[in-house]
Amino acid sequence: MIKNNRLSEKEYQENFSDIHPPFDSLTSAQVDANRCLFCYDAPCTKSCPTGINVPKFIKQITTENIKGAAHTIFSSNIMGAGCSKVCPVEKLCEGACVFNLMEEEAIPIARLQRYATEQAMEKNWQLFKRAPSAGKKVAVVGAGPAGLSCAHTLARAGVDVTVYERESKGGGLMTFGIAAYKVTPAFCEDEVKYILSVGGIDIKYNQELGKNCSLTELQKQYDAVYLAIGVGLARQLAIPGEELEGVEDAISFIYKLRDGGYPAVAVGDKVAVIGMGMTAIDAATQAKRLGAEEVTLVYRRSESEKPCTNVELDLARLDGCKVIWLAAPKEIKGANGKVTQLVCNVIKLGEPDSSGRPAPVETDETITLEVDMVIKAAGQMPFEQLVNTTGLKHSKGKIVTTDQLTSLDKVFAGGDAVNGGRKWWMRCRRGKMEQMLS
C-alpha cells in the first residue's frame, strides 16, 4: 500500500539528519590535516574537477588559518561547502591521495573542506569584495550550481546580475535533487544566502524560461545572458504498465520529498528502484527511510559496471536495500490501475558498447517482483523542446558552446544544459567570463 506519514516525527528527524560526521573542533581537524604530505604537483588537486588547491587549504588549517583555507576553496568553487558533502571524493581527490598507494587511510579531504567552509558560512566571513560597478547587466537563467557560480563570479567583477529561477528557492540540484540526509534543507538555504551575500545579485523566483520570460526579451534587457537551465526530464522506460498508479520517476520523488517535507511523501510497502546511479541510490535509501518495508534496486549490468560509488552502494545496503544485478525491466503489471508486479528480463553481458562496458543482452528468462511502487531512475534528459524554441544550436537538447558562448551573440551557457548531466561536477566550474565582461 502506498501511503504517507508512516513514521513518527522523531523517526523522520533521525532518518534524515545529516549523515556526515563533521569535525567537532579545530584540534580534531588539525590531527588529520597534519597527516598531509603536501605533495608537489598534488594528485588530489589534479583530480578535483573545480581545481581546488587541496594541499594549500589543508596547510592553512594546520596553521589555524581557517579563513584563509575557506578563501582558497571558495576561490575555485563557491559551492565548495555543498560539494564537500555530495562530491564522490572516493573517485576524485581522496581516491587520488598518495596514502592509498601505501595502503593507509587517505586524508579526509572532504571533511577538512567542510570544516573550513562551514566555519565561513556560520561566521559569515566576507572573503570577497565586490569590485566597483562595471556598468554591465547580465541575466542568469537558473539558480542552481552553474547559475550561482556564474552569478557570484560576475558580481565580484562589478557586474549587476539578475537570476531568473523557476522554483521558489535557489540551489537547484543541491536543494531539490539530492538526498536530504546528505545536504539538509537548512544547509541549502544557508549556502544560497552566503553566495548572495557578496552583493550585486538579485534573484527573481518563480520565473521560468519560456513561460514567464523569454530569451529574446532577456537579450534586449541585458548586456549578456547566461543559460544554466540544467536537465530534469526523466528518461522513460518505454515498457507496458508505465502509466499505472505507483510508477514514479526518481526526480519527482526526490523533489517532492525536498519540497513538501518527509511526512507528506507517500511510499509503498514494497518498492523497486530501476537504475544504479547516484539518483537511484538516493531514491532507494530515502524510500527506505520514509518507512518502506522492502526496497530493491534493479540494474541491468553487473556490480563491476555500476555507475554509483562503493560508498553510495554501501549506504543503500546498510539501510536494508536489496540489489538484483543483471535484470532489466520488461513490464509493469497491475490490478485496478495500481502496480502489483515488476517483470524483468534476466540479462547476460555481451561485447563492450559505446560506454566501454559489456553491453546488456536480454535473455528469454524472466524474474517477477511483487511490488506496489516502482521508481524509475534511468537517467535525465535535457530540455530539448524548450531549447528548440530559442534558436540555439544544440545536440539533442544539449546546448552547443565554444568557451561557454552559444550560437547566439552574447548568449552563454554552462553546467548540465551543456554537458547533459553526465559530468555533474562541471556545474560548479567558474568557466570563462571575460566575454561577458567585454
Side-chain angles (χ1 to χ4, degrees):
M1 178 186 297
I2 299 177
K3 63 179 182 179
N4 59 4
N5 205 26
R6 287 175 172 267
L7 307 176
S8 68
E9 183 62 28
K10 181 180 179 181
E11 288 173 316
Y12 282 123
Q13 291 302 320
E14 290 176 349
N15 288 352
F16 290 95
S17 60
D18 189 349
I19 64 169
H20 300 277
F23 288 112
D24 57 5
S25 66
L26 173 59
T27 300
S28 298
Q30 287 179 315
V31 168
D32 273 311
N34 278 304
R35 291 178 53 233
C36 183
L37 300 177
F38 311 114
C39 302
Y40 175 77
D41 198 24
C44 51
T45 294
K46 292 169 70 174
S47 68
C48 175
T50 60
I52 294 173
N53 190 332
V54 177
K56 181 179 179 180
F57 90 72
I58 293 180
K59 184 69 172 179
Q60 289 168 316
I61 291 176
T62 67
T63 60
E64 301 187 18
N65 183 10
I66 310 306
K67 187 176 289 188
H71 184 271
T72 297
I73 295 163
F74 286 140
S75 293
S76 294
N77 180 3
I78 193 58
M79 300 198 78
C83 286
S84 71
K85 298 186 177 188
V86 305
C87 203
V89 291
E90 60 275 10
K91 280 188 174 182
L92 301 170
C93 58
E94 291 184 17
C97 179
V98 295
F99 277 115
N100 291 303
L101 301 176
M102 296 181 279
E103 298 185 357
E104 292 187 31
E105 186 177 349
I107 301 297
I109 298 169
R111 288 185 73 197
L112 292 167
Q113 180 170 315
R114 176 181 178 178
Y115 179 77
T117 53
E118 288 192 348
Q119 287 285 305
M121 288 171 55
E122 290 170 9
K123 297 175 181 177
N124 196 27
W125 289 335
Q126 296 303 308
L127 304 175
F128 303 97
K129 185 177 180 180
R130 179 166 153 78
S133 175
K136 298 285 185 178
K137 297 190 303 179
V138 172
V140 173
V141 183
L148 289 175
S149 298
C150 174
H152 189 270
T153 301
L154 291 173
R156 283 162 51 188
V159 175
D160 294 322
V161 182
T162 303
V163 182
Y164 291 81
E165 169 55 46
R166 67 175 183 169
E167 302 292 349
S168 60
K169 301 176 184 177
L173 175 92
M174 289 286 191
T175 300
F176 295 106
I178 291 178
Y181 50 80
K182 293 180 181 176
V183 280
T184 64
F187 170 84
C188 292
E189 186 175 348
D190 290 343
E191 185 172 43
V192 172
K193 286 181 179 178
Y194 185 73
I195 292 170
L196 298 181
S197 68
V198 71
I201 305 173
D202 177 38
I203 298 187
K204 296 182 181 296
Y205 293 108
N206 303 306
Q207 298 293 309
E208 184 173 352
L209 185 67
K211 291 185 178 180
N212 309 104
C213 59
S214 71
L215 181 56
T216 302
E217 292 170 348
L218 296 178
Q219 285 177 284
K220 293 177 180 178
Q221 296 174 32
Y222 296 90
D223 296 299
V225 179
Y226 184 84
L227 299 176
I229 58 177
V231 293
L233 298 176
R235 195 177 303 279
Q236 302 303 303
L237 301 175
I239 61 174
E242 203 167 355
E243 75 290 343
L244 289 169
E245 182 181 340
V247 180
E248 188 166 5
D249 68 79
I251 300 168
S252 298
F253 180 70
I254 295 172
Y255 177 93
K256 286 190 293 187
L257 194 149
R258 296 301 300 261
D259 188 52
Y262 316 129
V265 180
V267 68
D269 291 320
K270 297 182 178 181
V271 180
V273 178
I274 299 169
M276 193 53 70
M278 292 176 69
T279 300
I281 296 292
D282 282 357
T285 53
Q286 290 189 123
K288 200 72 171 68
R289 292 177 183 221
L290 284 170
E293 294 177 7
E294 293 182 14
V295 176
T296 305
L297 284 149
V298 178
Y299 185 52
R300 62 181 184 157
R301 301 181 194 263
S302 68
E303 184 169 358
S304 59
E305 286 86 42
K306 68 184 185 302
C308 71
T309 66
N310 289 328
V311 171
E312 295 281 331
L313 183 57
D314 288 345
L315 179 62
R317 284 171 163 161
L318 286 170
D319 275 359
C321 299
K322 302 175 182 178
V323 182
I324 297 178
W325 306 103
L326 296 171
K330 177 183 180 181
E331 180 183 5
I332 302 172
K333 294 185 176 181
N336 301 318
K338 299 181 180 181
V339 172
T340 58
Q341 293 179 329
L342 173 65
V343 181
C344 299
N345 283 113
V346 173
I347 297 295
K348 66 177 182 180
L349 296 179
E351 295 299 315
D353 59 16
S354 58
S355 71
R357 297 174 296 174
V361 180
E362 294 183 355
T363 68
D364 294 331
E365 185 181 353
T366 63
I367 56 174
T368 300
L369 302 178
E370 302 294 327
V371 296
D372 54 12
M373 187 175 189
V374 175
I375 300 177
K376 302 175 293 182
Q380 302 179 45
M381 300 182 296
F383 297 105
E384 185 171 0
Q385 186 174 351
L386 171 61
V387 174
N388 268 331
T389 67
T390 64
L392 290 162
K393 183 179 179 181
H394 66 93
S395 174
K396 297 181 180 179
K398 293 189 292 184
I399 302 172
V400 175
T401 64
T402 302
D403 288 338
Q404 299 196 350
L405 179 62
T406 71
S407 57
L408 299 180
D409 186 44
K410 292 293 184 179
V411 177
F412 301 78
D416 285 352
V418 173
N419 65 53
R422 289 188 177 275
K423 296 179 180 178
W424 65 268
W425 50 79
M426 297 289 283
R427 298 164 183 147
C428 301
R429 297 191 69 172
R430 293 171 58 190
K432 295 183 178 180
M433 305 296 171
E434 292 86 352
Q435 295 182 73
M436 270 185 261
L437 298 173
S438 63

